[in-house]
Amino acid sequence: RRFNFLRTPLNLPIFLFFLMVLFSTITSLNFSYSMRELRGELGTYLLIFFLAVNDLRFKNSVRWIAVILFIASFIISIYGVFEYFFKGVGKRDRVSSLTADVNYLSATLVMVFPYASSFWFLNVFSRRWVKVALCLLTISILVCFIITFSRGAYVALLEEVIVLIFIYRKKEIWRKFLILFLNLCLKGG
């Protein structure tokens, strides 16, 4: 298969931004720290952007990325629940699961939650085992999310719930969604 690099309207602004960051890095007071951040943060984001732009043109690629994202989120959330209840993290400590920090864990879960819950509530998939897997994923994400005790992420989740209710208000799905969310929040809090 031949690979053609896809041109986007953002290529030039991203390139100019990269040149400004490179100049700032060269002239910075702490060159080694700036290079580490350039390589770690900006390099990662640029790589993800160009991979997404060039690979998400195909419907099959989007499906595989969603499946991989769901599996990874399920593993992270189940390990977080396991860590909280069985590894002696304690009832007052915050769970970080397989991530570096509690905030990374909660940010990951906040990003995946609307997709998993939407696919589950909208019955996107016809196979029963996929519906059950999405239900387990949604519940495990919510439980792990609650035991992170991250207030900023709680606000983000509340905003997501409000947006999802607004989107699904014409369908009667929002009632089930709200009941599940409130039930898990009350049990977790």
Side-chain angles (χ1 to χ4, degrees):
R1 178 172 117 180
R2 183 176 155 86
F3 180 77
N4 293 328
F5 188 74
L6 186 66
R7 292 180 161 267
T8 67
L10 292 176
N11 285 357
L12 181 61
I14 288 174
F15 179 72
L16 293 174
F17 178 72
F18 183 74
L19 287 178
M20 286 185 343
V21 169
L22 192 61
F23 177 73
S24 175
T25 300
I26 292 169
T27 60
S28 72
L29 295 175
N30 192 346
F31 181 75
S32 62
Y33 176 77
S34 297
M35 280 304 290
R36 199 169 43 246
E37 288 299 314
L38 175 70
R39 186 189 71 234
E41 296 294 324
L42 185 63
T44 303
Y45 293 138
L46 286 176
L47 181 66
I48 289 172
F49 172 76
F50 285 113
L51 284 174
V53 164
N54 287 297
D55 197 40
L56 294 181
R57 294 181 281 177
F58 310 107
K59 194 174 185 178
N60 197 24
S61 298
V62 175
R63 280 194 195 122
W64 276 109
I65 289 173
V67 167
I68 290 168
L69 184 66
F70 287 165
I71 290 171
S73 299
F74 185 71
I75 291 169
I76 287 172
S77 61
I78 289 296
Y79 187 80
V81 172
F82 174 78
E83 182 180 32
Y84 182 76
F85 288 108
F86 300 110
K87 280 193 111 178
V89 170
K91 300 296 182 203
R92 295 231 178 236
D93 293 335
R94 299 167 66 180
V95 174
S96 62
S97 184
L98 299 172
T99 60
D101 188 3
V102 171
N103 296 321
Y104 289 130
L105 173 63
S106 57
T108 302
L109 297 176
V110 161
M111 287 188 293
V112 175
F113 176 75
Y115 298 109
S117 61
S118 296
F119 287 176
W120 176 42
F121 283 121
L122 291 177
N123 294 322
V124 172
F125 300 99
S126 59
R127 294 188 175 144
R128 186 166 178 77
W129 69 270
V130 176
K131 292 178 189 177
V132 170
L134 286 171
C135 174
L136 290 174
L137 175 64
T138 302
I139 291 171
S140 69
I141 286 175
L142 273 176
V143 169
C144 185
F145 186 79
I146 289 169
I147 60 179
T148 60
F149 302 113
S150 177
R151 292 182 304 259
Y154 286 167
V155 172
L157 183 67
L158 181 63
E159 291 173 6
E160 283 182 356
V161 168
I162 290 170
V163 168
L164 288 174
I165 288 172
F166 180 73
I167 290 172
Y168 300 136
R169 74 179 185 276
K170 294 181 182 174
K171 299 175 181 176
E172 296 301 317
I173 294 169
W174 71 271
R175 289 189 183 130
K176 287 194 295 187
F177 186 77
L178 188 61
I179 290 170
L180 173 70
F181 177 73
L182 290 175
N183 190 12
L184 285 172
C185 285
L186 290 175
K187 287 181 181 176

